[in-house]
């Protein structure tokens, strides 16, 4: 266990050591137990968190806000439209100024080629830790919650196979941050990761390379497939979700045309039968129901999506308690 995490930013799990991440998981399980038992755990009394959103959210906003209250502190919701950010406050000004008011700054900025740069610029100017609530490249708290959920449901993740698969969605070009954070984190814990997608939906080459390096160092594997059935076959966990073909085109009409070719990439009951009999179905949510995933799967006995969403609360409280 590491005890010197105070003031660390959480922008990507990749910049944290494996031992630091194990500490987060250890604290998250303890906080989950404490909440179940009704034991007070006000580790952040009188502390405040700024939550700056450039993009919509249900789970992230609610779990950070509830988490800060449960830790004895306060979280302020700040929408970029209703602040002077819309009239020119720069990332440096936000880091300098909010860093003097608050004890932590959490940011969701998912704009492609903008979000991660913005969060890093705020962090460079901030005297307090900066937490990435999702950017264009990473969604670290989702991946931490997912790892916690895999450990709860499957025990030691080492040697287990997960299919991180693209699935079709009609709603919008979803960020690539979830699959990228998943392949980066799960390869560090010895999992056999299958990254499954049509060719147009590739992830950033340097992220894939880092995941391959993680797998080699930790004794797991990263395999890239272009067949959803093959990805599901025998997997212990399936994580089919949509993301945009951002590395192929940024044109929305062309993206929609490309996606239409793969409408049959849905997590349905036929595909679930291909996975291991006790395979877990995961999704970060929101999902396009009966397009990305069949109701029978997401509402079925193999789905762990509600425990997965709950674990966002516990891992975020763990990181906030350790760094703020
Ligand atoms: N999974 C996730 O980040 O959910 P929200 O977009 O609702 O925050």
């Amino acid at each position: 266990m590491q005890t010197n995490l105070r003031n660390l930013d959480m922008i990507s799990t990749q910049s944290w050591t494996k031992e630091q991440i194990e500490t987060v998981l250890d604290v998250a399980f303890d906080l989950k137990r404490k909440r179940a038992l009704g034991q007070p755990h006000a580790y952040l009394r009188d502390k405040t968190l700024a939550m700056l959103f450039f993009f919509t959210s249900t789970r992230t906003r609610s779990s950070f806000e509830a988490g800060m209250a449960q830790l004895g502190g306060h979280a302020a919701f700040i929408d970029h439209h209703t602040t002077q950010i819309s009239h020119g406050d720069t990332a440096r000004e936000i880091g300098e100024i909010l860093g003097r008011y608050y004890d932590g700054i959490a940011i969701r900025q998912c704009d492609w080629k903008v979000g991660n740069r913005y969060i890093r610029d705020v962090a460079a100017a901030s005297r307090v830790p900066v937490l990435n609530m999702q950017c264009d490249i990473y969604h670290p708290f989702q991946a931490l919650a997912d790892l916690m959920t895999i450990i709860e449901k499957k025990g030691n993740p080492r040697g287990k196979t997960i299919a991180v698969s693209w699935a079709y969605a009609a709603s919008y070009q979803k960020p690539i941050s979830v699959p990228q954070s998943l392949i980066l984190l799960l390869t560090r814990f010895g999992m056999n990761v299958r990254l499954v997608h049509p060719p147009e939906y590739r992830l950033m080459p340097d992220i894939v390379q880092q995941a391959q390096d993680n797998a080699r160092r930790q004794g797991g594997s990263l395999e890239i497939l272009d067949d959803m059935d093959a990805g599901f076959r025998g997997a212990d966990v399936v994580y089919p979700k949509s993301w945009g073909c951002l590395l192929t085109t940024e044109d929305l009409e062309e993206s929609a045309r490309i996606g239409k070719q793969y409408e049959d990439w849905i997590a349905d009951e036929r595909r679930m039968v291909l996975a291991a009999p006790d395979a877990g179905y995961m999704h970060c949510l929101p999902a396009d129901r009966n397009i990305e995933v069949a109701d029978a799967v997401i509402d079925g006995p193999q789905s762990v999506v509600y425990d997965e969403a709950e674990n966002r609360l516990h891992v975020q409280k763990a990181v906030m308690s350790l760094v703020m």
Side-chain angles (χ1 to χ4, degrees):
M1 172 170 271
Q2 292 283 300
T3 52
N4 57 343
L5 280 66
R6 205 64 62 199
N7 228 29
L8 280 185
D9 297 324
M10 172 55 87
I11 297 177
S12 163
T13 57
Q14 194 68 7
S15 59
W16 284 43
T17 67
K18 187 154 181 268
E19 209 176 340
Q20 287 171 334
I21 291 168
E22 283 164 351
T23 301
V24 169
L25 292 169
D26 193 60
V27 172
F29 279 112
D30 182 52
L31 290 172
K32 186 167 185 174
R33 191 179 310 110
K34 284 193 164 74
R35 180 161 162 76
L37 292 170
Q39 290 177 348
H41 44 276
Y43 300 132
L44 295 181
R45 204 189 306 272
D46 301 330
K47 300 250 176 164
T48 55
L49 175 75
M51 302 188 304
L52 175 54
F53 281 90
F54 291 77
F55 195 73
T56 49
S57 168
T58 304
R59 282 144 289 272
T60 304
R61 175 180 174 179
S62 295
S63 52
F64 268 101
E65 194 162 333
M68 271 305 286
Q70 290 161 22
L71 290 165
H74 172 75
F77 173 72
I78 304 167
D79 175 72
H80 75 115
H81 280 122
T82 54
T83 61
Q84 301 291 26
I85 293 171
S86 61
H87 293 145
D89 279 338
T90 65
R92 180 175 174 193
E93 287 160 3
I94 292 298
E96 278 280 0
I97 296 166
L98 297 193
R100 295 173 191 223
Y101 300 158
Y102 296 94
D103 301 288
I105 305 173
I107 304 172
R108 169 169 280 195
Q109 179 21 310
C110 300
D111 292 346
W112 180 237
K113 297 180 180 168
V114 174
N116 186 262
R117 180 73 267 158
Y118 181 85
I119 292 174
R120 289 193 185 280
D121 287 348
V122 173
S126 167
R127 61 175 68 174
V128 299
V130 168
L131 309 178
N132 180 357
M133 297 195 292
Q134 190 177 18
C135 68
D136 49 333
I137 302 177
Y138 306 112
H139 198 349
F141 291 102
Q142 184 63 54
L144 287 167
D146 294 339
L147 175 58
M148 182 177 182
T149 309
I150 291 167
I151 292 169
E152 281 179 339
K153 304 297 176 190
K154 297 287 168 193
N156 186 347
R158 180 164 295 283
K160 304 283 189 319
T161 297
I162 180 167
V164 177
S165 177
W166 184 84
Y168 177 68
S171 53
Y172 69 106
Q173 292 281 313
K174 302 186 185 191
I176 60 176
S177 47
V178 169
Q180 294 203 145
S181 283
L182 281 172
I183 66 168
L184 285 173
L185 185 61
L186 301 181
T187 49
R188 296 179 77 188
F189 283 79
M191 291 194 81
N192 298 318
V193 179
R194 293 178 186 159
L195 173 63
V196 192
H197 59 77
E200 296 89 345
Y201 291 86
R202 64 190 178 277
L203 302 183
M204 293 167 67
D206 65 313
I207 298 287
V208 173
Q209 185 60 55
Q210 287 177 61
Q212 265 157 353
D213 293 344
N214 291 344
R216 196 176 52 252
R217 278 195 287 269
Q218 295 297 332
S221 63
L222 177 70
E223 195 183 358
I224 300 175
L225 305 171
D226 62 3
D227 177 335
M228 197 174 185
D229 284 3
F232 270 49
R233 205 156 282 128
D236 300 298
V237 180
V238 295
Y239 199 130
K241 81 167 299 294
S242 187
W243 63 83
C245 51
L246 292 158
L247 278 90
T248 299
T249 180
E250 294 172 44
D251 181 84
L252 293 180
E253 282 179 17
E254 194 185 350
S255 305
R257 265 197 309 277
I258 291 170
K260 276 268 176 204
Q261 300 173 85
Y262 305 110
E263 277 182 332
D264 61 339
W265 283 58
I266 178 172
D268 56 12
E269 287 170 291
R270 181 192 71 76
R271 283 204 168 98
M272 285 306 292
V273 172
L274 301 175
D278 62 345
Y281 165 84
M282 297 180 74
H283 195 295
C284 55
L285 304 177
D288 284 27
R289 279 174 170 261
N290 299 309
I291 297 173
E292 204 174 346
V293 54
D295 279 345
V297 172
I298 197 168
D299 297 329
Q302 288 167 270
S303 174
V304 299
V305 294
Y306 298 124
D307 289 334
E308 185 183 355
E310 179 185 335
N311 286 337
R312 290 290 305 277
L313 175 73
H314 307 302
V315 296
Q316 289 159 195
K317 284 168 69 180
V319 171
M320 290 192 291
S321 301
L322 290 162
V323 304
M324 283 174 63

